[in-house]
Amino acid sequence: MDEPSMPTPASAPQPPAPPIPLAELLASKDLGLRRIAGPADADLLWVHTSEMADPYPYLLGGELLLSAGVLLTDPDRYVARLVEAGAAALGFGVRPVYEAVPEALVEACDRYGLPLLEVPPETPFTTIARAVWRLMAEARHRELRRVTRAQQALATAAARPDPVPAVLHQLATQLSGRAVLLTARGEEVHAAGRRPHPEAAAALTRLARVVARERPGSPASATDTHGDTHLAAYALGGGEGLVLSLATHRREPGDHTVAGIAVVLLSLLAAPHQGADAADRSAALVRLLLGATPAEVAPLLGPDGPWTVIHARRSDGTTPDALTAGALGASLGSALVDAGREDDDETVRVLLPATASEAPPHPGDGEEPGEPEKPRQPPQPRTVPPHPGWTLGVSAPTPLPALAAADTRAARALAHAEATRTPLKADAPVTGLAALIPPDQAAAHARTLLAPLTPPLADTLRCWLSLHGSWDRTAVALSVHRNTVRQRIRRCAELLDVDLNDMDVRTELWFALRRE
């Protein structure tokens, strides 16, 4: 029977972690593996065990294939088929079928360039598989740390006074290559890093034209190779045809993620239609994400509040990439987009300013000199429409110091929208009779009334009341089991000593929960 050592997605044979150099596996002395034929260099993506005479149909490529040779009859054809399938190496276990690795198999592996490992009888195949997955996990953690450091470095560079050159320089440093910002015609706007060979540079320019947004249907990104140089091009948002082009001598699994972060930042910072104000706002968003307070970034964000916070998730359950998130921000009319957070990388956050206020006319613009200027109209909050393919949670317009509370309300609105399967849920501003109570008095009352509840209990009660007491929808919104919701609501009633079936009680609690 042909059984893989670990299940893999049939639709997209992508490695679950960075490839493992064969040398790292051979360095594990406790395995006792010995390379006896073929090259020393190989990258392992999977581990597969098979005793079939021809395992070709079951290989994805990049495997370390483990076999004891039960049905080995033609070593030459066997190795040829493994190489044709893209196997990375062959591990042959001696005993009980063979006392030693067949010489014909050794010669075939040397002839076809397939690394051949001798597996001693005391080393089970499962032990080798576990060792490979452990090495992959370690490599993945290293790669995640590298990507995180790169993200922090790029974010810091984007907050510099010269953000575009700084981001390109940092990107070239992180990827050990060349980073170029090109126009749709191939004109160099900014560049950083060592120049590639002229032929590779020309190939990079041609690749940039493939993704330049000058015609419908252009891809968002493209890759190619020129000799030993890896080339990549990414279209930037903004509709100006700008392209980020990269030339590197290596391509690590996390490089695409690092490049995607740079694409978002450069889309915000480098589009020609963006002036100094837009660049300042982009820098302000980065600083907020890095821990600055709203008061510290207020001069950069500008006066055109109030601000609306939007939380969004793909309605089809897919994880949005940086380009998709940037496109959502552009359609909403804002360049202030957070494409994902470490604790919730499926949620996109957008900070939407109010519409710009109408500037007063100046003499010579239709007004006679000496006439009193018309007062500047206050900025008006924008209406957020539903967006196909997205589920949106929208906060009520809020002043800059209250952005943190608006962020929480937007998250709650998104959970409500997902639970009720509606494309958009807006957090309504305080109006009507509730608006007659001073906010400080309302908040003090809420704190006193809700003091017995822990934050998880308060969140559950708020969500349950907003969904009209539906156990199932509350469970969906909070991503917990419906029995957990029942237990929490029962505990809330006990701590508050109230009857939650009483509409007066529900109304007062809802008032308090909206103002805590």
Side-chain angles (χ1 to χ4, degrees):
M1 180 177 293
D2 193 65
E3 296 182 354
S5 300
M6 180 176 180
T8 57
S11 59
Q14 298 294 327
I20 302 303
L22 179 60
E24 287 192 20
L25 185 64
L26 292 173
S28 300
K29 301 299 183 183
D30 54 326
L31 298 177
L33 302 179
R34 185 169 65 94
R35 183 178 63 87
I36 59 177
D41 295 329
D43 289 330
L44 311 180
L45 300 180
W46 327 93
V47 179
H48 189 80
T49 301
S50 175
E51 295 301 339
M52 298 186 69
D54 181 14
Y56 176 94
Y58 302 94
L59 300 181
L60 297 173
E63 292 91 350
L64 167 61
L65 180 66
L66 300 176
S67 175
V70 174
L71 298 179
L72 180 66
T73 57
D74 187 347
D76 188 273
R77 183 178 183 278
Y78 182 79
V79 173
R81 292 285 282 172
L82 294 184
V83 172
E84 185 179 354
L90 172 62
F92 194 88
V94 296
R95 298 180 193 166
V97 181
Y98 288 88
E99 290 297 321
V101 180
E103 187 62 32
L105 185 64
V106 175
E107 294 174 355
C109 286
D110 273 331
R111 185 162 52 253
Y112 287 100
L114 181 69
L116 175 61
L117 312 183
E118 181 186 66
V119 181
E122 63 271 12
T123 301
F125 285 174
T126 53
T127 302
I128 299 174
R130 289 175 181 173
V132 172
W133 301 130
R134 175 181 56 79
L135 291 172
M136 283 186 172
E138 293 172 355
R140 181 171 179 80
H141 290 157
R142 289 195 300 269
E143 190 68 3
L144 287 175
R145 287 195 296 269
R146 183 181 77 88
V147 170
T148 299
R149 289 193 297 268
Q151 180 179 7
Q152 294 171 345
L154 289 169
T156 302
R160 289 172 54 90
D162 53 346
V164 173
V167 169
L168 288 173
H169 173 75
Q170 192 58 242
L171 181 62
T173 300
Q174 296 295 329
L175 301 185
S176 301
R178 176 79 166 174
V180 187
L181 191 63
L182 298 171
T183 67
R185 296 182 298 274
E187 300 168 345
E188 188 175 294
V189 181
H190 292 287
R194 180 176 298 178
R195 290 182 178 275
H197 189 274
E199 293 182 0
L204 188 61
T205 301
R206 291 193 296 271
L207 189 65
R209 294 195 184 101
V210 173
V211 302
R213 300 291 178 83
E214 288 190 314
R215 60 186 184 279
S218 298
S221 63
T223 59
D224 198 1
T225 57
H226 188 278
D228 61 349
T229 303
H230 298 281
L231 310 176
Y234 302 85
L236 301 188
E240 301 293 341
L242 289 176
V243 176
L244 171 64
S245 300
L246 303 173
T248 60
H249 288 289
R250 60 179 176 83
R251 183 175 290 168
E252 301 295 340
D255 287 354
H256 181 70
T257 301
V258 174
I261 296 167
V263 166
V264 172
L265 294 173
L266 292 172
S267 295
L268 297 174
L269 300 171
H273 71 277
Q274 289 186 338
D277 290 343
D280 285 346
R281 286 183 181 177
S282 300
L285 175 63
V286 171
R287 293 178 186 178
L288 277 174
L289 295 176
L290 292 176
T293 64
E296 291 173 319
V297 300
L300 292 176
L301 283 173
D304 54 347
W307 298 85
T308 298
V309 180
I310 301 171
H311 281 218
R313 287 199 189 102
R314 295 291 300 174
S315 54
D316 59 4
T318 60
T319 300
D321 56 22
L323 293 174
T324 306
L328 174 66
S331 64
L332 289 168
S334 175
L336 303 180
V337 180
D338 174 16
R341 296 172 291 170
E342 291 183 2
D343 60 333
D344 184 4
D345 59 1
E346 295 183 357
T347 301
V348 174
R349 293 190 295 176
V350 181
L351 189 59
L352 186 65
T355 56
S357 57
E358 182 182 351
H362 296 282
D365 292 338
E367 295 286 344
E368 294 295 331
E371 288 187 4
E373 293 184 350
K374 295 179 181 180
R376 182 186 298 269
Q377 298 297 320
Q380 300 299 315
R382 302 180 186 181
T383 300
V384 178
H387 278 64
W390 293 90
T391 301
L392 305 181
V394 183
S395 77
T398 185
L400 185 64
L403 281 182
D407 182 61
T408 300
R409 292 197 296 272
R412 293 171 182 167
L414 176 60
H416 189 288
E418 291 185 320
T420 56
R421 298 182 180 179
T422 55
L424 184 146
K425 171 64 178 176
D427 181 63
V430 178
T431 58
L433 293 175
L436 301 178
I437 303 176
D440 55 342
Q441 295 182 20
H445 172 73
R447 286 193 296 270
T448 301
L449 180 61
L450 303 173
L453 302 184
T454 62
L457 290 177
D459 287 341
T460 302
L461 181 59
R462 181 188 299 103
C463 185
W464 182 72
L465 290 173
S466 73
L467 295 170
H468 311 290
S470 170
W471 307 110
D472 291 332
R473 289 182 175 180
T474 304
V476 171
L478 298 177
S479 299
V480 297
H481 195 275
R482 65 195 308 269
N483 289 342
T484 302
V485 176
R486 289 183 179 275
Q487 293 169 3
R488 291 181 182 178
I489 295 301
R490 188 182 303 115
R491 183 59 176 161
C492 288
E494 294 172 353
L495 292 173
L496 297 173
D497 193 22
V498 295
D499 180 8
L500 290 177
N501 292 318
D502 189 321
M503 181 54 67
D504 289 338
V505 172
R506 290 194 183 194
T507 301
E508 183 174 5
L509 287 173
W510 178 245
F511 175 89
L513 288 163
R514 290 271 291 160
R515 285 150 188 82
E516 66 165 338

